[in-house]
Amino acid sequence: MITTSYFAREKDIANPVCIAQVKPSWSKSREYKKLAPPWALVDRYKRGLVTPQQYTQEFTFVVLSLLNPVEVMNEIVSLFGEDATLLCYEKSGDFCHRRIVAAWIEKGTGVVVPEMKF
């Protein structure tokens, strides 16, 4: 089952996959850049220039709308395995793009992509 989590929990994750623009220098995760948000969007969000709703709309338009969720899911499983955990920086419960990705996969494939529980 594909899951999501964050880099600070990587040591507890068997098959971590980075979906951020840059992974931490210490991270052993493999990278899947297709799902990374554009730098400009991340920067505007961190500076408080876009709301979570605006971020979600723009990320969906500029990244996810160009991809097919079934193809992405199949590619993740093919490249990383069925137990891949998609990682970004924000801790569980905070707004983050990995949960936007999870919802997009769920809507497009019917496959539930939960946040890992520790």
Side-chain angles (χ1 to χ4, degrees):
M1 169 192 307
I2 303 296
T3 56
T4 63
S5 192
Y6 57 109
F7 287 115
R9 298 306 307 233
E10 184 178 328
K11 67 183 180 334
D12 303 315
I13 297 168
N15 191 4
V17 177
C18 169
I19 61 168
Q21 281 288 347
V22 174
K23 68 180 183 176
S25 59
W26 49 262
S27 175
K28 304 282 192 253
S29 63
R30 292 176 288 167
E31 296 178 282
Y32 189 71
K33 295 281 193 176
K34 287 183 182 181
L35 297 175
W39 277 117
L41 177 58
V42 173
D43 180 60
R44 289 194 330 274
Y45 176 72
K46 291 197 178 284
R47 291 191 297 138
L49 301 176
V50 295
T51 65
Q53 181 180 5
Q54 291 167 322
Y55 183 104
T56 300
Q57 290 171 342
E58 186 171 336
F59 178 72
T60 300
F61 181 73
V62 300
V63 176
L64 299 180
S65 70
L66 305 178
L67 302 170
N68 178 304
V70 173
E71 291 173 7
V72 166
M73 185 68 158
N74 289 339
E75 190 170 48
I76 289 169
V77 169
S78 173
L79 291 172
F80 308 110
E82 293 181 1
D83 64 339
T85 299
L86 308 179
L87 303 180
C88 71
Y89 286 89
E90 287 69 30
K91 71 181 188 295
S92 292
D94 287 356
F95 175 76
C96 67
H97 88 285
R98 72 177 179 272
R99 295 310 307 158
I100 300 169
V101 168
W104 173 78
I105 290 172
E106 291 172 2
K107 182 178 178 184
T109 68
V111 174
V112 175
V113 181
E115 181 78 1
M116 269 189 121
K117 304 281 187 233
F118 295 96

